Amino acid sequence: MAGRLQNKVALVTGGGSGIGRATALAMAHEGAKVVVADMSVEGGEETVQLVAEQRGVAKFVRADVTSEEAIKGMVQETVAAFGRLDCAFNNAGMGGAGKRTHEHTEADWDRTMALNLTGVWLCMKYEIAQMLKQCGGAIVNTSSIRGVVGLDSGLSAYVASKHAVLGLTKSAALEYANHNIRINAVCPGVIETPMVTKALVAIDGYAERVQIMQPVGRLGQPEEIAKPVVWLCSDASSYVTGTGLIADGAWTAQ
Ligand SMILES: NC(=O)c1ccc[n+]([C@@H]2O[C@H](COP(=O)([O-])OP(=O)(O)OC[C@H]3O[C@@H](n4cnc5c(N)ncnc54)[C@H](O)[C@@H]3O)[C@@H](O)[C@H]2O)c1
């Protein structure tokens, strides 16, 4: 049986770890040729190796998605390697400074916004330009449950950036709705990745609170975000655009 992304070309930023890696693997499993973009050469190459082990096709492109030149090059390299760009998962992001709002420095704020928000916009800028040439495509941006509700644990810049990703997603979805380009976001709950493991240790009492607040009694796994992202990129979601898909084990339902 043909995979749900057969003959499609996909690009995943932050593909060298966590949610991005799981999604690159899932996309390749569904038949896509995948460009794994990451700042980390080691992580990115390892993902490509894992895709190869499951007999998929992937290529690593080193890209820092806080740099417009790097993003432009990443999209160009994707098209040069595989001829087009059908699905883009703008996922690279960071957790933020772990300080309360009045303790943030302007540099803390700018660092978070540069990656989590401006980076997503710049990726979309070049991806959409390519998709307009091809008359279609699907984009998924990584927001968060922190794009929907706030947090009292010193991550206000992160929360602001993830809310903004949702606003950007909705507006862009409207702009390109009649160009056959669908633009959605995914809002993960607490997913067991290296980023979260670090935060659970860094913020006092956070690990206990997170565990207690999980209605399903456990954290999510990266594969549980990869599957909805594959669906959002596939033709199965052809009428879904401009939405933020929450995958959080009912955390925000509380
Ligand atoms: N894990 C969670 O619980 C959770 C929840 C909600 C949202 N998210 C979001 O999911 C996304 C992925 O998070 P994760 O938990 O998989 O993290 P992770 O730390 O496991 O992976 C992030 C990847 O992004 C790469 N990266 C970082 N900065 C980059 C840059 N400037 N350019 C290119 N690549 C860069 C890293 O090298 C790494 O491979 C992030 O946007 C994060 O905010 C995560």
Side-chain angles (χ1 to χ4, degrees):
M1 206 174 74
R4 285 179 296 168
L5 300 181
Q6 206 67 44
N7 301 322
K8 294 194 192 282
V9 175
L11 167 63
V12 178
T13 73
S17 175
I19 293 168
R21 169 174 290 171
T23 306
L25 284 161
M27 286 172 153
H29 181 72
E30 292 291 342
K33 297 187 185 87
V34 184
V35 167
V36 176
D38 206 292
M39 215 168 65
S40 157
V41 177
E42 199 187 339
E45 295 283 19
E46 198 176 305
T47 302
V48 167
Q49 178 61 33
L50 291 168
V51 170
E53 283 168 19
Q54 64 174 33
R55 297 194 185 166
V57 179
K59 173 186 165 66
F60 172 62
V61 172
R62 188 186 182 280
D64 175 348
V65 296
T66 62
S67 152
E68 181 165 6
E69 269 314 296
I71 290 168
K72 192 174 166 188
M74 170 184 84
V75 174
Q76 280 170 348
E77 276 196 61
T78 303
V79 176
F82 297 129
R84 51 190 292 116
L85 174 63
D86 300 293
C87 318
F89 183 35
N90 299 319
N91 163 75
M94 62 184 280
K99 300 173 185 170
R100 288 184 296 168
T101 301
H102 76 282
E103 294 161 340
H104 270 75
T105 64
E106 196 171 352
D108 294 330
W109 177 270
D110 288 347
R111 207 174 308 117
T112 303
M113 290 298 166
L115 177 56
N116 289 6
L117 178 58
T118 311
V120 171
W121 161 63
L122 283 170
C123 286
M124 288 172 70
K125 177 179 163 76
Y126 289 96
E127 292 157 0
I128 289 168
Q130 175 61 29
M131 288 173 178
L132 284 171
K133 286 187 213 160
Q134 303 166 188
C135 302
I139 293 175
V140 180
N141 298 319
T142 302
S143 176
S144 169
I145 48 169
R146 300 307 169 196
V148 183
V149 293
L151 178 67
D152 62 355
S153 297
L155 288 174
S156 59
Y158 179 78
V159 171
S161 73
K162 293 298 185 181
H163 273 70
V165 165
L166 273 187
L168 175 63
T169 299
K170 290 177 194 172
S171 299
L174 288 168
E175 285 177 2
Y176 302 100
N178 60 4
H179 291 273
N180 195 32
I181 301 173
R182 294 185 300 107
I183 305 174
N184 290 293
V186 67
C187 303
V190 189
I191 310 301
E192 232 171 322
T193 68
M195 176 192 286
V196 157
T197 311
K198 219 166 74 183
L200 290 176
V201 177
I203 305 170
D204 245 6
Y206 188 45
E208 292 74 22
R209 271 203 295 154
V210 162
Q211 194 60 44
I212 290 164
M213 279 194 74
Q214 293 293 329
V216 297
R218 63 173 179 84
L219 304 192
Q221 294 304 309
E223 295 72 22
E224 294 177 297
I225 303 304
K227 286 174 194 169
V229 173
V230 165
W231 180 74
L232 285 171
C233 287
S234 76
D235 297 339
S237 62
S238 53
Y239 200 56
V240 182
T241 189
T243 198
L245 192 158
I246 298 176
D248 69 346
W251 174 301
T252 50
Q254 295 174 99

